Amino acid sequence: MIRVAVAGAAGRMGATVCEAVDGAPDMELTGRADPALGVDLAEVLPGADVVVDFTRPDTALANALQCVEAGVHVVIGTTGFDLEPLRVARGANVFVAPNFAIGAVLMMKFAAEAARHMAKAEIVELHHDQKLDAPSGTAKRTAELMAAASGDGEPPIHSVRLPGLVAHQEVILGDLGQTLTIRHDSIDRVSFMPGVLLAVRRVGEIEHSPLVGLEHLL
Ligand SMILES: NC(=O)c1ccc[n+]([C@@H]2O[C@H](COP(=O)([O-])OP(=O)(O)OC[C@H]3O[C@@H](n4cnc5c(N)ncnc54)[C@H](O)[C@@H]3O)[C@@H](O)[C@H]2O)c1
């Protein structure tokens, strides 16, 4: 059994992760850390093999460093913070994904491929209006992958924040007399759970930490 604690357990994503871990036959939910529950991360670390962090951009880095120092692997879904300090963190592994949905991983891959062949592109990312960071981690990662594939600069990103949305992105590419649109929609947070559980199962065996992107585990 993999002992899993969740940081941000009272949040939209954290609560969904708790349910998913609870339902996984090879995992045991050993702790729910969240200031909203009055439980500090330090309290749940001793009983955990892996921490899953879906918190806030201003706390995810400190949380991750605390996990690694305690020898606990960490799977990070929180977006909008600088990963650089994690490159020197030793003691346990760190896995980060700006998007845990398989459809979003495919969207990024297809967009990078398309960017090699079409003249210009722009990214429109759309999220619920409680999201703290803009542009989204997924959009930034898509832009990086497209730039690396095409050898051109990163495409511009437009951010939409509205109630009713969950997590959506369109990559629109244009060329002579034609456009191509690649679109992904997460219409429910369960879309992220197979990816999160896969990362929990694999984070202990990754060779170079931190590892960024679900595509490396597929
Ligand atoms: N990687 C992905 O696939 C993916 C998907 C959806 C959302 N996200 C990201 O996940 C993060 C969380 O999103 P959300 O919608 O669940 O937000 P949310 O605001 O609903 O939940 C965040 C929770 O973290 C708690 N928290 C704050 N500081 C904490 C700390 N120090 N320790 C533990 N818990 C703490 C808050 O009390 C809150 O309950 C955001 O950064 C969002 O962009 C990533």
Side-chain angles (χ1 to χ4, degrees):
M1 289 295 255
I2 310 172
R3 298 172 303 163
V4 184
V6 176
R12 285 174 287 263
M13 285 297 292
T16 314
V17 172
C18 287
E19 277 180 38
V21 168
D22 239 354
D26 55 340
M27 293 179 201
E28 184 188 354
L29 182 64
T30 56
R32 298 171 194 251
D34 197 306
L37 302 173
V39 181
D40 197 77
L41 179 61
E43 296 173 57
V44 304
L45 284 177
D49 303 311
V50 178
V51 163
V52 179
D53 185 292
F54 280 95
T55 57
R56 299 169 49 99
D58 57 4
T59 191
L61 176 63
N63 283 359
L65 293 172
Q66 199 180 340
C67 293
V68 170
E69 269 169 36
V72 177
H73 303 306
V74 58
V75 170
I76 307 175
T78 311
T79 53
F81 71 97
D82 181 17
L83 297 176
E84 205 51 40
L86 292 172
R87 304 207 182 281
V88 292
R90 294 286 173 269
N93 293 339
V94 180
F95 177 80
V96 189
N99 201 311
F100 281 96
I102 178 69
V105 175
L106 292 170
M107 167 188 67
M108 288 186 255
K109 191 175 166 59
F110 299 155
E113 176 65 20
R116 295 174 54 218
H117 304 284
M118 295 190 70
K120 284 186 78 179
E122 302 214 357
I123 297 171
V124 184
E125 57 96 343
L126 311 90
H127 284 81
H128 61 88
D129 60 348
Q130 301 303 305
K131 184 172 174 60
L132 295 179
D133 55 322
S136 71
T138 303
K140 285 198 273 189
R141 176 96 175 138
T142 307
E144 281 169 20
L145 294 171
M146 290 174 74
S150 67
D152 298 333
E154 292 189 7
I157 301 171
H158 310 274
S159 299
V160 177
R161 296 289 175 268
L162 288 172
L165 295 169
V166 179
H168 317 260
Q169 181 169 300
E170 265 183 27
V171 181
I172 309 167
L173 300 108
D175 211 322
L176 286 177
Q178 61 183 319
T179 66
L180 168 66
T181 301
I182 303 167
R183 182 176 172 112
H184 176 256
D185 297 274
S186 272
I187 51 178
D188 190 301
R189 291 182 176 83
V190 295
S191 60
F192 305 112
M193 294 306 117
V196 171
L197 297 184
L198 175 68
V200 167
R201 292 184 182 109
R202 300 281 299 281
V203 65
E205 57 196 49
I206 61 181
E207 283 180 11
H208 300 289
S209 173
L211 184 63
V212 182
L214 191 69
E215 62 275 19
H216 300 296
L217 302 184
L218 297 172

